[in-house]
Amino acid sequence: MIQIKTRADFDKMREAGKVVEEALLTLGRAVEPGITTQELDEIAKRVFDKNGAISSSYHYGEPPFPGYICVSPNEVIVHGIPRRDWVLKEGDIVTCDVCCSLEGYHADAARTFAVGRISPEAEKLIRVTEESFWKGFEKCTIDHRIGDVSAAVQAHAESFGYGVIRELTGHGIGRQLHEDPDVPNYGRAGHGPRIVKGMAFCVEPMISSGRRDIALLDDDWTVVTRDGKYAAHYENTIIITENGPEIITLSEDKNV
Ligand code: MG
């Protein structure tokens, strides 16, 4: 069931969104050749602690997720476990997926960062993945349905020949990290739940530069592309207010 939020709920979610954004900005400045994915996890944890926020990822699910954020390099699509022995190198890409709660309300966002200088192909994958989000975001108004968002994301990514991951989707969010509805990155325009005031959900294209087939590693968390091609991810939390859609994990001021 889709949980409709009040203005007071949205105010609390905005505060959680600010922490998520601060963590992502801090991570973006920290990513460089030689850093480990574990160090990125520690950086995010410090931002959570400073703000009194709680990681939504830590000990989530079964087996309990061991990191405070998900750190997913190269062919890892999502749910990469931070590791002391995974050192990022020039030319890698790395996705940081950050979600936290503040006073019981969650926010969730992801970015894929370049590690030093990366190939033009990797640059393009990151760019098109973000563009796919914005194509979906254009449909996040009360005259649309979730399927309109899905179809717009899919059409943009596939127009570049990229693989759109289907097994993982965006989701409603609020008092729970994952609520109804699912927000797939593929689908049919005009279908799915109608977008109404008071909804909050994440739109999060997960795009492979190769085929869309995935594999789950033995740790039961790490999701990779089956063909080993790079994948990128771009996510924000969106709330549907009386003034229209609002992104709470991305402010105008990028200099937090
Ligand atoms: Mg999410």
Side-chain angles (χ1 to χ4, degrees), residues 97 99 108-109 169-171 173 177-178 202 204 233 235:
D97 192 345
C99 38
D108 182 2
T169 69
H171 49 91
I173 186 169
L177 175 62
H178 294 119
C202 297
E204 50 176 316
H233 185 188
E235 174 181 24

Side-chain angles (χ1 to χ4, degrees), residues 124-125 128-129 131-133 135 150-166 184-188 205-213:
K124 182 177 163 192
L125 173 68
V128 171
T129 301
E131 286 170 2
S132 300
F133 167 86
K135 294 290 181 185
S150 304
V153 168
Q154 180 182 15
H156 190 69
E158 290 186 347
S159 73
F160 291 84
Y162 290 150
V164 176
I165 308 304
R166 298 196 176 198
N185 294 306
Y186 70 100
R188 291 165 63 196
M206 288 159 266
I207 307 296
S208 164
S209 58
R211 297 175 58 85
R212 65 175 176 80
D213 309 82

Side-chain angles (χ1 to χ4, degrees), residues 2-35:
I2 294 171
Q3 303 286 335
I4 295 301
K5 277 80 181 175
T6 64
R7 269 193 216 180
D9 294 331
F10 280 162
D11 284 343
K12 298 219 166 166
M13 291 185 71
R14 286 188 185 96
E15 294 305 309
K18 285 180 193 163
V19 180
V20 168
E21 179 177 23
E22 182 184 342
L24 284 168
L25 290 168
T26 308
L27 288 161
R29 289 192 290 265
V31 168
E32 60 178 359
I35 200 165

Side-chain angles (χ1 to χ4, degrees), residues 10-197:
F10 280 162
D11 284 343
K12 298 219 166 166
M13 291 185 71
R14 286 188 185 96
E15 294 305 309
K18 285 180 193 163
V19 180
V20 168
E21 179 177 23
E22 182 184 342
L24 284 168
L25 290 168
T26 308
L27 288 161
R29 289 192 290 265
V31 168
E32 60 178 359
I35 200 165
T36 67
T37 60
Q38 174 77 37
E39 286 172 304
L40 293 175
D41 194 55
E42 289 161 6
I43 286 166
K45 170 72 159 52
R46 284 199 289 274
V47 175
F48 294 155
D49 288 348
K50 187 185 85 173
N51 288 284
I54 298 167
S55 163
S56 317
S57 304
Y58 185 67
H59 283 186
Y60 184 93
E62 190 57 44
F65 188 80
Y68 292 93
I69 60 170
C70 299
V71 189
S72 305
N74 299 338
E75 76 279 9
V76 182
I77 306 165
V78 288
H79 305 163
I81 294 175
R83 284 167 46 166
R84 293 189 190 288
D85 60 353
W86 196 320
V87 182
L88 297 174
K89 62 182 193 307
E90 184 99 19
D92 285 347
I93 63 174
V94 62
T95 297
C96 294
D97 192 345
V98 173
C99 38
C100 73
S101 68
L102 201 60
E103 294 184 42
Y105 289 82
H106 296 260
D108 182 2
R111 305 280 182 268
T112 301
F113 300 113
V115 183
R117 285 178 63 89
I118 62 172
S119 69
E121 293 77 20
E123 293 261 14
K124 182 177 163 192
L125 173 68
I126 292 173
R127 176 176 57 79
V128 171
T129 301
E130 179 178 343
E131 286 170 2
S132 300
F133 167 86
W134 291 108
K135 294 290 181 185
F137 180 70
E138 285 173 16
K139 307 291 183 187
C140 292
T141 57
I142 54 172
D143 49 346
H144 288 100
R145 292 177 180 269
I146 292 294
D148 298 314
V149 179
S150 304
V153 168
Q154 180 182 15
H156 190 69
E158 290 186 347
S159 73
F160 291 84
Y162 290 150
V164 176
I165 308 304
R166 298 196 176 198
E167 291 82 352
L168 302 146
T169 69
H171 49 91
I173 186 169
R175 285 185 169 277
Q176 306 294 324
L177 175 62
H178 294 119
E179 298 184 356
D180 288 338
D182 286 346
V183 185
N185 294 306
Y186 70 100
R188 291 165 63 196
H191 287 69
R194 195 179 289 280
I195 294 173
V196 297
K197 188 181 78 169

